[in-house]
Amino acid sequence: MNHEQAKVILPIMLRELRLPAFLHFWEEVGHQSDHDGWGSACYLATLCETEIQTRNTRRMARKLKESGLNPGKSLSTFDFGQVPMINKTHILALATGDVWIKGGGNILIFGPSGVGKTHLAHGIGIQLIEHGMRVMVTRTTELVQKLQSAKQTLTLPAMLRRLDKYDCLILDDIGYARRDTHETDVLFELISERYERKSMIVTCNQSFGEWDSIFQDKAMAVAAIDRLVYNSTILQINADSYRKASALKKMEATKRTAG
Ligand code: ADP
Ligand code: MG
């Protein structure tokens, strides 16, 4: 094969081998390599590195999309200065997932509305994905409805098994809606199923003392708390609503520009 023939056939082979970064960069990197006299090993290594990076970025984007996490709610956009009771170093360590995820532990985030519980949970979730873990976020109400329909069609065990592929499940607003007994039962089943094995991050507006209203029956509430608290980190955010504070700031800025 001569050089001209190689140039024609190379893109076809790179496509067949599914090497999109090679396909995109082989010529450009080749010019640079020729110009700077890199040698063949260095040329090939540069293309391989680019291919690996491209794959990692694509895999990360796919996992992030599948997770339902909001990329805008990352830890880098979370203002820790607003919540002095939350230690940034501690959160960054948790977000690597090292110890607690392997041990099937949980993170429970408590606090009133608007203080950043959801944002913090998403931020940790995004980092966990960057560390190679699989994460899914869902409003608890939505997941409970899905679990309940699965139970009605006798597919609850299969659905719980499917959720096992997630190293961490984020249940946002566990205490949000009043539930009937069926809903409470499936939520409890989920918690029991993952207990000591698979992690969860749970956000909640109500303190444990008010969990009777989430589970209706006191004994079940105690059992659920017991399982969730096992090997858990509890984060309590006592702060003014960030939402309210930024709305007030905006209003004042508008007033100033209007006046
Ligand atoms: P909660 O889940 O506690 O009700 P959210 O996480 O939904 O509160 O926060 C409400 C809004 O305020 C969101 O837009 C969130 O991004 C923002 N927010 C809250 N706390 C912070 C913070 N410390 N830094 C940056 N944005 C914040
Ligand atoms: Mg929230």
Side-chain angles (χ1 to χ4, degrees):
M1 191 187 313
N2 64 31
H3 184 69
E4 286 313 309
Q5 286 168 330
K7 271 176 77 171
V8 174
I9 202 153
L10 193 57
I12 300 167
M13 292 193 292
L14 290 175
R15 248 185 225 109
E16 193 174 325
L17 289 169
R18 293 183 214 289
L19 295 169
F22 270 74
L23 181 64
H24 196 260
F25 292 110
W26 72 271
E27 244 177 331
E28 184 187 328
V29 177
H31 290 316
Q32 201 179 342
S33 171
D34 290 345
H35 183 264
D36 297 345
W38 285 359
S40 54
C42 190
Y43 170 60
L44 195 57
T46 305
L47 282 179
C48 288
E49 198 183 1
T50 314
E51 188 68 52
I52 291 169
Q53 271 167 6
T54 312
R55 273 185 201 186
N56 286 345
T57 311
R58 272 214 315 267
R59 189 180 315 122
M60 179 58 208
R62 206 173 47 238
K63 277 185 166 184
L64 201 57
K65 190 156 180 244
E66 171 200 86
S67 70
L69 288 162
N70 179 345
K73 306 286 172 196
S74 67
L75 289 181
S76 58
T77 60
F78 190 78
D79 179 2
F80 285 88
Q82 292 296 320
V83 284
M85 69 295 296
I86 301 295
N87 182 311
K88 183 175 179 178
T89 313
H90 182 206
I91 299 298
L92 293 179
L94 286 172
T96 64
D98 277 351
V99 184
W100 65 282
I101 293 264
K102 285 192 185 89
N106 301 312
I107 298 179
L108 313 176
I109 309 175
F110 289 96
S113 181
V115 294
K117 300 183 299 297
T118 299
H119 191 142
L120 195 56
H122 278 243
I124 296 172
I126 293 167
Q127 287 288 302
L128 290 176
I129 289 186
E130 278 174 5
H131 283 90
M133 278 153 249
R134 292 188 83 168
V135 179
M136 185 180 82
V137 62
T138 168
R139 283 206 189 85
T140 312
T141 320
E142 272 168 38
L143 183 64
V144 161
Q145 276 163 10
K146 285 184 193 151
L147 290 170
Q148 208 193 337
S149 0
K151 186 158 192 170
Q152 278 160 3
T153 54
L154 306 176
T155 54
L156 182 61
M159 185 170 175
L160 291 174
R161 265 200 309 279
R162 271 203 307 282
L163 291 174
D164 255 11
K165 76 174 178 192
Y166 298 106
D167 303 297
C168 181
L169 202 58
I170 302 179
L171 296 187
D172 202 12
D173 279 326
I174 198 171
Y176 189 62
R178 293 214 149 260
R179 305 196 168 87
D180 63 27
T181 331
H182 298 296
E183 289 172 332
T184 315
D185 283 353
V186 288
L187 180 58
F188 186 74
E189 271 188 63
L190 171 72
I191 292 169
S192 304
E193 178 70 23
R194 290 182 77 87
Y195 174 54
E196 288 189 319
R197 290 189 316 110
K198 295 278 172 178
S199 296
M200 289 197 275
I201 299 177
V202 173
T203 77
C204 189
N205 284 359
Q206 294 100 323
S207 65
F208 282 139
E210 298 161 276
W211 275 39
D212 292 8
S213 66
I214 303 178
F215 285 96
Q216 294 188 344
D217 147 4
K218 205 177 186 98
M220 197 184 262
V222 170
I225 292 168
D226 232 39
R227 283 162 174 73
L228 284 174
V229 165
Y230 163 80
N231 191 12
S232 76
T233 301
I234 297 178
L235 304 170
Q236 176 76 48
I237 309 183
N238 300 315
D240 288 334
S241 164
Y242 189 93
R243 218 182 263 131
K244 206 163 98 191
S246 52
L248 280 175
K249 250 190 231 158
K250 248 187 226 154
M251 252 168 58
E252 272 165 24
T254 322
K255 257 194 231 155
R256 267 200 304 276
T257 41

